[in-house]
Amino acid sequence: MSSTFVDDDGQLRCRWCSISPAFRHYHDTEWGFPVADDVRLFEKICLEGFQSGLSWRTILAKRPRFRAVFHDFDFEQVARFDQQDVAKLLQDEGIIRHRGKIEAAIHNAGCARQLVQEAGSLAAFFWRYEPAAATRASPQTVSTSAESIALSKALKQRGWKFVGPTTVYAFMQAMGLVNDHAHGCVIRPQVEAARAAFRRPV
C-alpha cells in the first residue's frame, strides 16, 4: 500500500491523516514542524505517554481537556500537583483516567524542572538527539531509532517515566527532530523548509 493518498484538494498527503479532518489539520499544521518551546515539548511527551496502548486519534480528541486540567502543560505548575489533584483527574471523563499515566505526567514535570536546570532548557536537551541526515531511515519505516533509544535511556536515567524508545520516537517525529512525512506528501517540503530555517537551541 502506498504511504500517501490523493486528498480532496488533489494533493498527496501521508495516508495516516486520511482518518479524519482533525488528523489532516494536525498533519498539515503541526506534525513534523520543528519546536523549541519547552511547554509544547513537555505537553507532547506527556501526551505520547498517555497514548501508550491507545490511538493518537483518542488523545487528539481529548487534547483540549488535557490542556485545561494540566494548566496548558506548564510543568512548573504541574509539578506542584498533589494527591488531591490526582484524585480529581481520575474523575475527569475528558482525559485518560489512568492513575499511572497521570502520576507519571506529574512526576515528569518535576523531572522537567530539573532538566531545565541541567541543560538550560528542555529544547536544548532534546535537540541534542536530532539524527544526522545520513542516518535517518526512510519515512515511516521504523518506530524507533538509535537516537530515540539513546534519548529514552537518558530520560529514564533522570527519573522520567513512560518514555520508552517508541514513545520517544513518536515525540521526535511530531516535534520535528525528524521529518517523517512521506516522500511525495505536500507537507514534506514545507517541513524541510521549516527545519532548514530553524535555529537549533543550545
Side-chain angles (χ1 to χ4, degrees):
M1 179 185 293
S2 171
S3 57
T4 59
F5 77 109
V6 180
D7 209 342
D8 293 342
D9 60 0
Q11 301 283 1
L12 288 175
R13 284 183 172 80
C14 297
R15 181 166 294 280
W16 62 262
C17 80
S18 64
I19 295 173
S20 73
F23 263 34
R24 174 175 162 176
H25 180 76
Y26 173 70
H27 168 274
D28 284 9
T29 63
E30 293 187 52
W31 196 70
F33 288 92
V35 174
D37 178 82
D38 278 5
V39 172
R40 282 195 60 201
L41 291 165
F42 179 69
E43 174 191 87
K44 184 59 178 174
I45 206 158
C46 285
L47 292 180
E48 289 294 347
F50 275 105
Q51 184 192 347
S52 180
L54 303 170
S55 74
W56 179 243
R57 186 175 189 175
T58 299
I59 303 301
L60 191 60
K62 292 177 178 289
R63 187 169 67 170
R65 185 58 186 166
F66 270 112
R67 287 174 170 172
V69 298
F70 280 97
H71 298 288
D72 287 323
F73 288 92
D74 178 341
F75 50 86
E76 293 288 348
Q77 294 191 60
V78 176
R80 294 193 289 269
F81 282 15
D82 57 22
Q83 285 304 308
Q84 284 188 319
D85 294 302
V86 173
K88 187 184 299 183
L89 290 167
L90 285 168
Q91 298 302 314
D92 195 314
E93 296 182 357
I95 66 169
I96 304 301
R97 294 181 293 173
H98 184 291
R99 179 181 290 275
K101 293 177 180 180
I102 290 170
E103 291 181 341
I106 297 167
H107 171 83
N108 287 350
C111 294
R113 291 199 303 189
Q114 294 174 359
L115 191 52
V116 169
Q117 292 177 357
E118 173 192 338
S121 68
L122 298 184
F125 184 81
F126 287 135
W127 277 91
R128 293 175 191 171
Y129 294 87
E130 178 186 12
T135 66
R136 291 178 201 145
S138 297
Q140 300 176 35
T141 60
V142 299
S143 58
T144 65
S145 67
E147 293 80 10
S148 79
I149 293 168
L151 177 52
S152 170
K153 182 178 179 180
L155 291 172
K156 288 178 179 178
Q157 287 174 339
R158 289 163 175 80
W160 291 63
K161 300 178 179 179
F162 280 92
V163 288
T166 301
T167 294
V168 169
Y169 189 72
F171 164 82
M172 294 171 76
Q173 289 174 300
M175 297 288 96
L177 280 78
V178 295
N179 181 1
D180 244 10
H181 284 273
H183 292 297
C185 172
V186 67
I187 305 301
R188 182 177 176 82
Q190 297 179 31
V191 167
E192 279 298 295
R195 282 175 42 79
F198 181 67
R199 292 186 63 183
R200 271 66 177 167
V202 294

